[in-house]
Amino acid sequence: MTRDSSNCILTILLLFFLLFISITNYFSFRNIELYLTSSTNSDPFDVVALYQQESIKQLRKNALLTAENDRKLLFNASRLTNNQDFYRKVVEEAYCAQKERIGEKGDGGKYVCNPKKFIIMPEFLTINFRLISLGLNNQIGFDKHIYEATGRQCKILGADIYQQEQPTRDAYEKMNGELFAAKIPNDLTIPQMMEKTGRIDVEFLKIDIEKGEFTALEPLIKDYFVCQIFIEIHGLPSDHLRMLQIIAKYGFRIFNVDENLLCPLCCEYSMINELCMAQFEVVPLAITIPQLNS
Ligand SMILES: *[C@@H]1O[C@H](CO)[C@@H](O)[C@H](O)[C@H]1NC(C)=O
């Protein structure tokens, strides 16, 4: 082969390479644009309309008028030992019209706000978590439902102190989920778990880890962006209040309270980050959890 013809081949290859780069660039920019337009249109109008409904305005007004007293009543109930009385005094701080109970009947179900509004991120945007499910006990109806409800786009990270039975492991595998068997946070902290999988953004967090919540949760919501939390808190009223106050410190508001009839010392709370309220069409009411005295 002459020197000239090899130069010519190199030039042609280079041109093809440049052509290839510009075509792939074009398509990836187009995808980002499509993603941005499809996820932002329609929502803002809906939220404004929602806030202007007469019944919603009334709800907010009442909430503001009673909030101070609600906080005092709750604080007083937290000093006593009647759990049921405490749960009934927790007043919802955000209004979600589209609450859905997801998961097993009885123990294991959680109230989620408007799960359809879960934003499905294309893989190439990489900031890609989605559901963290802590405390499984071979009950993964919740995880499966969320997976289906999001068009099987949801990445799931699950953990439990015990290794799960084979059918549970198979089901997780099918959902492309990642499963950890470790005691959280003693053997494995949530941030360690997140680092292992390289995910940094959490749409839904389900946490039911038998008092592990008192040490495990705060580092997670401090360092990662979480939208909704479904938590079962265990213990006396004062323990419940302390946990709710810690979560509230990071901008989460309660939109559902559900007593666990099988466990008198346990209660399920559903909370939403203020920064996610518009996305899930939620109206903030008044803050009813007394602030933590630093
Ligand atoms: C809370 O308890 C204090 C002291 O026991 C009492 O003075 C106060 O009236 C109670 N507040 C409410 C709103 O019940």
Side-chain angles (χ1 to χ4, degrees):
M1 206 188 289
T2 67
R3 205 189 153 86
D4 268 355
S5 68
S6 70
N7 267 347
C8 179
I9 289 170
L10 269 181
T11 313
I12 289 172
L13 278 178
L14 190 66
L15 283 175
F16 267 109
F17 179 69
L18 287 176
L19 187 67
F20 174 76
I21 297 275
S22 24
I23 289 175
T24 47
N25 264 344
Y26 171 76
F27 279 107
S28 57
F29 278 119
R30 221 170 138 243
N31 276 341
I32 291 178
E33 214 170 88
L34 281 177
Y35 162 70
L36 291 176
T37 49
S38 66
S39 67
T40 51
N41 62 18
S42 84
D43 280 356
F45 177 74
D46 291 344
V47 172
V48 172
L50 182 68
Y51 277 48
Q52 285 176 343
Q53 281 173 25
E54 212 42 53
S55 58
I56 300 284
K57 283 189 188 163
Q58 204 55 45
L59 203 61
R60 298 192 76 185
K61 211 185 277 174
N62 291 345
L64 288 172
L65 289 175
T66 55
E68 174 86 38
N69 198 48
D70 291 340
R71 286 193 292 267
K72 282 187 186 149
L73 287 174
L74 190 69
F75 183 79
N76 279 7
S78 79
R79 305 291 112 180
L80 306 173
T81 52
N82 182 340
N83 276 59
Q84 277 62 40
D85 179 57
F86 175 84
Y87 306 149
R88 283 165 202 163
K89 290 201 164 92
V90 181
V91 177
E92 287 161 14
E93 304 175 290
Y95 171 75
C96 173
Q98 314 286 339
K99 283 195 276 204
E100 256 182 64
R101 191 173 190 282
I102 292 186
E104 272 87 359
K105 291 203 170 62
D107 201 16
K110 314 276 165 198
Y111 282 88
V112 176
C113 178
N114 219 346
K116 289 190 301 296
K117 298 289 170 177
F118 184 102
I119 293 182
I120 294 166
M121 294 259 197
E123 199 68 43
F124 63 84
L125 284 182
T126 64
I127 309 170
N128 210 351
F129 144 53
R130 318 292 38 218
L131 165 67
I132 294 189
S133 189
L134 306 176
L136 301 172
N137 195 22
N138 288 298
Q139 290 195 318
I140 56 166
F142 180 86
D143 313 46
K144 283 181 179 164
H145 187 128
I146 294 289
Y147 183 68
E148 293 299 329
T150 55
R152 307 185 171 192
Q153 297 290 316
C154 170
K155 295 279 179 191
I156 304 182
L157 217 138
D160 197 279
I161 175 168
Y162 301 112
Q163 178 159 59
Q164 300 300 289
E165 288 161 12
Q166 195 62 46
T168 307
R169 299 212 302 266
D170 292 344
Y172 246 76
E173 174 107 41
K174 252 194 219 142
M175 296 190 290
N176 237 332
E178 286 174 69
L179 206 50
F180 293 84
K183 186 167 168 61
I184 293 172
N186 308 38
D187 305 333
L188 181 69
T189 66
I190 305 174
Q192 278 170 347
M193 198 166 106
M194 304 277 277
E195 272 154 32
K196 282 190 185 180
T197 63
R199 308 223 161 93
I200 59 165
D201 218 5
V202 182
E203 203 99 340
F204 295 152
L205 169 66
K206 171 185 157 268
I207 177 165
D208 181 0
I209 52 175
E210 314 297 328
K211 291 185 183 252
E213 68 268 17
F214 293 111
T215 37
L217 183 61
E218 192 172 2
L220 174 67
I221 54 179
K222 204 164 158 183
D223 290 339
Y224 296 89
F225 185 70
V226 177
C227 267
Q228 293 189 39
I229 300 178
F230 321 107
I231 183 169
E232 182 164 89
I233 300 178
H234 306 74
L236 291 171
S238 55
D239 299 320
H240 284 250
L241 183 64
R242 187 164 49 91
M243 191 73 244
L244 292 173
Q245 286 175 314
I246 289 172
I247 307 175
K249 207 169 79 180
Y250 297 95
F252 289 88
R253 308 294 166 224
I254 300 172
F255 67 86
N256 197 74
V257 182
D258 195 26
E259 283 178 49
N260 182 343
L261 298 174
L262 300 173
C263 167
L265 297 185
C266 311
C267 187
E268 300 267 1
Y269 304 88
S270 299
M271 307 178 83
I272 184 162
N273 190 328
E274 283 180 339
L275 301 175
C276 299
M277 285 187 180
Q279 179 193 335
F280 290 97
E281 293 171 8
V282 166
V283 180
L285 299 173
I287 294 177
T288 58
I289 299 298
Q291 250 183 31
L292 202 57
N293 302 320
S294 54

